[in-house]
Amino acid sequence: MSWALHRIDDRLIHGQVVVAWGQRLNPKRIWVVDDASAANDWERELLASAAPGVDVRVITVADAAAAHAEEDAATGGAFLLVRSLPAALALVEAGARVAAFNVGGLHYAPGKERLGEYVYLDDRDREAARALLRAGVELYVQDIPAAPPRPLASLDPTLVEQASP
């Protein structure tokens, strides 16, 4: 399998992704799947410069979903990054077959409740998480490779209780 990591992180490309995960998994490519960033030349250039030596693509959810299976067959590892749980859900609903998302950082914003050191969710996030879980997508919290992965639902048991059909 070519996809080494599917990650939800509101900071997209940053030190944890490039240094911690990058050194552990050595990706050849990083896909940043974010409609707003894909529409902004400056953001595309900034994100591409954040991972020296790695082929960075900043693309829309629709484009990523359409090409996800092809990338899975490509050689060399790749990362796929989305900014939020709703964006992850949109990607899956658009047809990308993602088995699991690493929840790396969903930070404080007004209206969000703290579930962990680097995980804050609001009602929209919870609905997206429940929909992903119902679709069979595993959601696990792990900021860096050295940290033990934990199911997102272990931080908020209502995600599982309300995700059941």
Side-chain angles (χ1 to χ4, degrees), residues 1-164:
M1 180 190 289
S2 180
W3 290 111
L5 181 68
H6 289 93
R7 182 175 169 100
I8 302 169
D9 194 316
D10 55 21
R11 297 169 293 174
L12 299 171
I13 298 178
H14 58 93
Q16 286 178 348
V17 171
V18 175
V19 177
W21 288 100
Q23 287 179 352
R24 173 71 61 94
L25 300 175
N26 194 29
K28 304 294 184 246
R29 293 166 308 286
I30 296 176
W31 283 17
V32 175
V33 180
D34 186 69
D35 291 345
S37 296
N40 184 305
D41 291 338
W42 181 81
E43 280 190 58
R44 282 195 316 272
E45 288 178 29
L46 180 65
L47 288 163
S49 70
V54 178
D55 176 27
V56 176
R57 290 181 60 188
V58 183
I59 58 177
T60 66
V61 169
D63 288 343
H68 188 265
E70 292 172 23
E71 178 62 24
D72 197 34
T75 57
F79 290 179
L80 183 143
L81 307 173
V82 295
R83 190 180 301 271
S84 66
L85 283 157
L89 177 60
L91 181 66
V92 169
E93 287 178 338
R97 299 185 75 193
V98 179
F101 277 103
N102 162 282
V103 179
L106 297 172
H107 296 87
Y108 174 78
K112 294 196 178 229
E113 176 187 357
R114 182 177 191 225
L115 299 183
E117 184 178 343
Y118 52 89
V119 178
Y120 292 75
L121 301 182
D122 60 18
D123 291 340
R124 187 169 175 244
D125 296 324
R126 285 183 172 92
E127 281 305 313
R130 288 182 192 112
L132 285 162
L133 292 169
R134 280 192 301 270
V137 178
E138 177 189 358
L139 300 172
Y140 65 97
V141 176
Q142 184 180 21
D143 58 343
I144 58 173
R150 296 175 295 159
L152 178 62
S154 71
L155 302 178
D156 184 350
T158 67
L159 296 179
V160 172
E161 295 167 5
Q162 297 177 9
S164 301

